[in-house]
Amino acid sequence: MTRVLVLNCGSSSVRYRLFDGDDVRAKGLIQRIGESGGDAADHDAALQGLMDRLDLSDLAAVGHRVVHGGELFTESTVITDEVVAAVEDLIPLAPLHNPGALAGIRVARKLLPDVPQVAVFDTAFHSTIPAEGVLWAVDRDLARRFGLRRYGFHGTSHAYVSRETARILGRPPEDTNVITLHLGNGASAAAVRGGRCEATSMGMTPLSGLVMGTRSGDIDPSLIFHLHRAGGLPLDEIEDSLTRHGGLAGLAGANDMREVLERRAAGDPDAALAFDVYIRRLKEYIGSYLAVLGRVDAITFTAGVGENSPDVRAAALAGLEPLGITVDPARNTDSAVIISPDDAPVAVCVVPTEEELEIANESRRALSLAP
Ligand code: AMP
């Protein structure tokens, strides 16, 4: 009995996948919850409809994706009333993300009271980052009072693809060092030594680090003060701008990398510059993580852009041949897995991420169930 229902509940959507072992029995997306013309009136109705449609006999667990686990949750955790209360306490750190997950947890516990439920946190994989990699050089009393530190996100993806990379290369995971590049609409990099994360690019929230679809990634924080004082912009407006009108959207007017690549190919200078800024930031993180890890066995691309754009992969690693990093253009195609030459000191890989499968397996691990 290893069937697991995975729920990824956002503020207005529910993504679900029903696993039997590794096999997917059902999957789908309920969208625009609560909006007129949407798929459901609220999370209650969305999940009730789902339970009515799916065959949930022999269900061993429900695995919930929870974005922010704060400092408390360093691994996947069986859900109790105390866990729900603790995730509620983390809402100030993740106002856009944790409320959706909580709604899903509440309704699923009500509708499936006899099925164990597990919270799988985006932050947990990063809990092994040492203190020097999570602290900023700010007043330590303020940092303690307000939880100012790096937590990191996309943890299930970085965990899955770093482990898969070792498997693909036929190496022991505990002796494989990987830089993982999760390049989707949200994007983050991680440095993984022997299966343990040592550095990641997102911070207290998913706003920092790489250039993303609509998020700025790293900025000088002073520009917030400047926009507020000199520009008279309210803080909410600045947050909205950096979160929803930054990144590729801010630079090129399009958040979708496909559109940026098409416009760049057609000679659009804004799209060309957006691409260059995106690639430059990637290179800066790759260089930083080469220095953090010292020995790197593989660099792995994943998520929408990483899995599908040979141009981004080639540009991100161009010029790094003296460091043993080479992309073979003949291998850097749509269906590629290893895109470096056979004798390269650093393997370059493309590994499709499987966040839902990782959540299902984490749920089984947390409950000590057979895979
Ligand atoms: P994700 O968040 O992982 O679903 O990734 C979504 C992003 O992947 C989209 O916004 C696109 O920018 C990007 N993407 C998907 N297919 C391609 C492609 N063939 N080339 C470049 N980017 C792509």
Side-chain angles (χ1 to χ4, degrees):
M1 195 173 85
T2 57
R3 285 158 65 95
V4 177
L5 175 65
V6 172
L7 294 177
N8 181 352
C9 297
S11 55
S12 66
S13 68
V14 174
R15 203 177 287 278
Y16 65 91
R17 210 168 270 209
L18 178 63
F19 287 95
D20 196 342
D22 281 2
D23 297 336
V24 179
R25 290 277 179 257
K27 63 175 188 175
L29 173 65
I30 304 165
Q31 295 186 88
R32 297 188 304 279
I33 295 171
E35 295 171 23
S36 66
D39 295 342
D42 53 28
H43 282 80
D44 266 82
L47 289 180
Q48 182 68 63
L50 192 60
M51 312 276 160
D52 292 344
R53 280 201 305 281
L54 296 178
D55 171 14
L56 296 179
S57 55
D58 290 340
L59 192 62
V62 181
H64 296 267
R65 178 194 183 206
V66 182
V67 168
H68 216 307
E71 292 193 293
L72 196 58
F73 296 107
T74 58
E75 53 186 26
S76 303
T77 305
V78 179
I79 295 174
T80 60
D81 291 343
E82 289 73 31
V83 170
V84 172
V87 173
E88 263 166 8
D89 288 343
L90 290 167
I91 287 178
L93 282 175
L96 301 176
H97 294 102
N98 276 16
L102 277 164
I105 289 170
R106 270 198 216 95
V107 181
R109 288 181 88 201
K110 192 173 73 190
L111 296 177
L112 298 167
D114 300 326
V115 181
Q117 319 241 342
V118 179
V120 180
F121 301 93
D122 267 36
T123 46
F125 182 62
H126 303 301
S127 66
T128 54
I129 300 176
E132 64 268 27
V134 300
L135 292 182
W136 292 297
V138 298
D139 182 290
R140 62 186 167 187
D141 295 328
L142 280 181
R144 278 196 204 113
R145 262 173 67 203
F146 293 102
L148 309 181
R149 49 158 285 186
R150 183 189 307 283
Y151 296 96
F153 300 90
H154 290 146
T156 51
S157 179
H158 291 294
Y160 175 83
V161 300
S162 57
R163 207 169 348 95
E164 273 295 290
T165 300
R167 192 186 63 74
I168 288 163
L169 297 176
R171 296 181 56 102
E174 62 281 5
D175 185 35
T176 304
N177 299 349
V178 189
I179 296 174
T180 47
L181 303 170
H182 177 110
L183 309 178
N185 201 22
S188 66
V192 183
R193 187 194 305 278
R196 291 166 64 84
C197 189
E198 285 200 5
T200 195
S201 59
M202 283 178 166
M204 187 173 84
T205 71
L207 184 55
S208 72
L210 301 175
V211 174
M212 314 185 206
T214 66
R215 280 172 252 163
S216 63
D218 291 339
I219 54 162
D220 177 345
S222 289
L223 74 77
I224 297 170
F225 316 136
H226 183 69
L227 283 174
H228 186 59
R229 291 200 197 101
L233 266 66
L235 288 174
D236 285 351
E237 223 170 277
I238 300 172
E239 182 178 30
D240 188 59
S241 175
L242 295 175
T243 308
R244 303 195 317 126
H245 306 285
L248 295 174
L251 289 166
N255 72 301
D256 192 310
M257 181 57 92
R258 281 166 293 204
E259 192 178 334
V260 172
L261 291 171
E262 278 162 23
R263 290 221 234 129
R264 172 174 173 262
D268 177 338
D270 288 341
L273 190 57
F275 180 84
D276 291 346
V277 173
Y278 183 100
I279 295 297
R280 171 63 185 243
R281 182 74 49 80
L282 255 179
K283 271 188 189 291
E284 289 178 353
Y285 270 95
I286 292 165
S288 161
Y289 292 172
L290 287 167
V292 165
L293 290 173
R295 190 199 86 208
V296 172
D297 302 302
I299 297 175
T300 297
F301 290 87
T302 193
V305 179
E307 291 166 27
N308 296 303
S309 177
D311 288 348
V312 168
R313 298 192 296 252
L317 301 181
L320 301 187
E321 292 80 7
L323 300 174
I325 300 165
T326 305
V327 172
D328 177 348
R331 292 186 172 185
N332 187 20
T333 57
D334 285 347
S335 54
V337 180
I338 300 175
I339 60 173
S340 47
D342 286 337
D343 57 354
V346 179
V348 181
C349 303
V350 181
V351 176
T353 194
E354 290 280 1
E355 290 172 278
E356 285 84 5
L357 177 62
E358 181 74 7
I359 292 170
N361 285 331
E362 276 291 306
S363 302
R364 293 182 186 118
R365 269 196 284 275
L367 294 162
S368 304
L369 299 170

